[in-house]
Amino acid sequence: MTNNPLSDSYTSDPLNNDEILVTKALNGDKIALNELVKKHQQYIYNIALRMIGDPDEAKDITQEVLIKIITKLSTFEKRSSFRTWAYRIVVNHFLNTKKTINEAKHKDNFADYWKVINNVQDFDIPDSYAAPVDMKLITDEIKISCMFGMLLCLDRGQRMIYTLGVIFGVTDAVGSEILEITKDNYRQKLSRARKDIRNFMQDRCGLVNPANPCHCKKKTKVLIEYGYVDPKNLKFNREKYYSIQNEIINKQVDLNTLMIDKADVLFREHPFQTSPDFVEGLKDIISSNKFKDLFNFN
């Protein structure tokens, strides 16, 4: 389990002194730079995954963000915590870059998204339905994929607020600092995003209410046949780590400050994915002459 860099207690914990690592890295300590990347890559990747909805594109964008953070390290003036400074870069990158391929091909409003889902024919599938992996894994794949689609129906600002505030339990104190808005504004924006997700799910999604018309398992046969889900190459279960609910440290605070509903719980039950090893992937870049000059590397 990672040490949650978005928790309220992170910056006050002496074991999480990112500022010392920054100073060492700028003085040529490659180990310190690698440690800084390792401490934050998991969370940046998992934010990217929910902002983009595709693991491969999320990997590419996470690397872009990490490079941007590294190349700007010398501009970090310690006027805020490194956490606040770095995740402002994360947020701004996602809010200001052009749409990814997965975003562009996806329905970006709830009404059209429901039409797509509703047009997928229902079939009752026996547990013994022939597939190379356990049927529950396939059904979970469809569930997560569909819920990521719901996130893509939110605009990017709402999506970021929902990802931070509901999925990762970022409190208004931390969230308002990162987004550079007031605590009241953070809570208001979060409330609107939660309402949009909840309104979509409450009368349609069988995960929220079994009496609702849409059930993941009934869509499985058609989605496999159409190639939307590949049982041999699951996108969202291939690197399952543990649930987000188990990952976040400040969840008790959230339970006391938010009126948690079923939709919130369902999103928090999603797996916290193991990110690729960006330290390895960045080695060649960090070893370039440009980076040697930036970090005083020998």
Side-chain angles (χ1 to χ4, degrees), residues 7-276:
S7 70
D8 282 5
S9 61
Y10 181 79
T11 56
S12 61
D13 185 344
L15 298 178
N16 293 317
N17 199 316
D18 290 333
E19 287 74 10
I20 291 177
L21 292 176
V22 171
T23 300
K24 288 182 177 181
L26 291 172
N27 286 329
D29 188 334
K30 289 184 180 181
I31 294 176
L33 183 60
N34 291 346
E35 182 63 24
L36 198 63
V37 172
K38 287 180 180 179
K39 288 177 72 175
H40 295 278
Q41 64 181 5
Q42 295 267 48
Y43 265 78
I44 296 174
Y45 175 72
N46 275 274
I47 290 171
L49 190 55
R50 283 145 188 90
M51 289 296 295
I52 304 306
D54 179 83
D56 295 323
E57 288 188 308
K59 175 183 176 181
D60 293 339
I61 290 181
T62 301
Q63 179 162 295
E64 291 174 11
V65 172
L66 288 170
I67 291 172
K68 188 175 288 187
I69 290 172
I70 290 171
T71 56
K72 291 179 179 290
L73 272 185
S74 61
T75 69
F76 173 53
E77 298 178 346
K78 300 183 180 180
R79 294 177 181 176
S80 65
S81 68
F82 173 79
R83 184 265 306 278
T84 298
W85 178 85
Y87 283 89
R88 281 177 183 170
I89 293 175
V90 174
V91 169
N92 288 331
H93 188 86
F94 284 114
L95 296 186
N96 297 322
T97 55
K98 67 179 182 179
K99 282 188 175 182
T100 64
I101 294 173
N102 194 56
E103 286 179 291
K105 73 181 182 182
H106 202 281
K107 299 298 182 183
D108 60 0
N109 66 80
F110 287 104
D112 286 344
Y113 188 51
W114 174 243
K115 290 178 183 177
V116 171
I117 295 173
N118 202 35
N119 284 336
V120 177
Q121 189 175 358
D122 288 350
F123 283 94
D124 288 325
I125 305 173
D127 293 336
S128 59
Y129 181 80
V133 297
D134 184 89
M135 182 54 61
K136 184 180 184 304
L137 291 179
I138 299 176
T139 304
D140 284 347
E141 179 85 356
I142 291 171
K143 176 185 74 174
I144 295 170
S145 178
C146 183
M147 292 177 71
F148 277 16
M150 296 176 200
L151 291 177
L152 292 176
C153 292
L154 300 171
D155 64 44
R156 278 184 167 182
Q158 283 187 307
R159 208 181 310 155
M160 181 60 75
I161 286 277
Y162 192 89
T163 297
L164 293 178
V166 169
I167 299 177
F168 292 107
V170 176
T171 62
D172 57 2
V174 175
S176 62
E177 286 184 6
I178 292 173
L179 297 174
E180 298 183 276
I181 58 179
T182 66
K183 292 180 182 180
D184 284 344
N185 198 3
Y186 178 82
R187 289 192 295 267
Q188 290 167 6
K189 289 176 178 289
L190 178 57
S191 178
R192 286 195 290 269
R194 292 178 69 224
K195 182 178 179 181
D196 287 346
I197 291 287
R198 182 173 61 248
N199 287 347
F200 178 76
M201 296 182 75
Q202 65 183 1
D203 296 324
R204 299 178 178 91
C205 181
L207 297 170
V208 171
N209 182 351
N212 283 338
C214 189
H215 293 266
C216 301
K217 190 172 183 179
K218 291 185 177 181
K219 306 292 185 184
T220 301
K221 184 175 185 295
V222 172
L223 293 177
I224 291 176
E225 289 175 352
Y226 285 178
Y228 184 79
V229 174
D230 181 357
K232 297 181 180 179
N233 183 28
L234 300 179
K235 290 184 176 181
F236 303 112
N237 279 296
R238 60 184 179 184
E239 293 172 328
K240 184 169 181 178
Y241 202 41
Y242 35 74
S243 74
I244 293 170
Q245 182 66 27
N246 290 332
E247 161 64 16
I248 58 176
I249 294 173
N250 55 329
K251 59 187 176 183
Q252 188 59 50
V253 175
D254 300 331
L255 293 174
N256 291 332
T257 57
L258 282 176
M259 293 179 63
I260 301 295
D261 60 27
K262 180 63 174 176
D264 298 342
V265 172
L266 287 167
F267 274 99
R268 284 194 173 187
E269 288 176 347
H270 286 185
F272 185 83
Q273 303 280 151
T274 303
S275 73

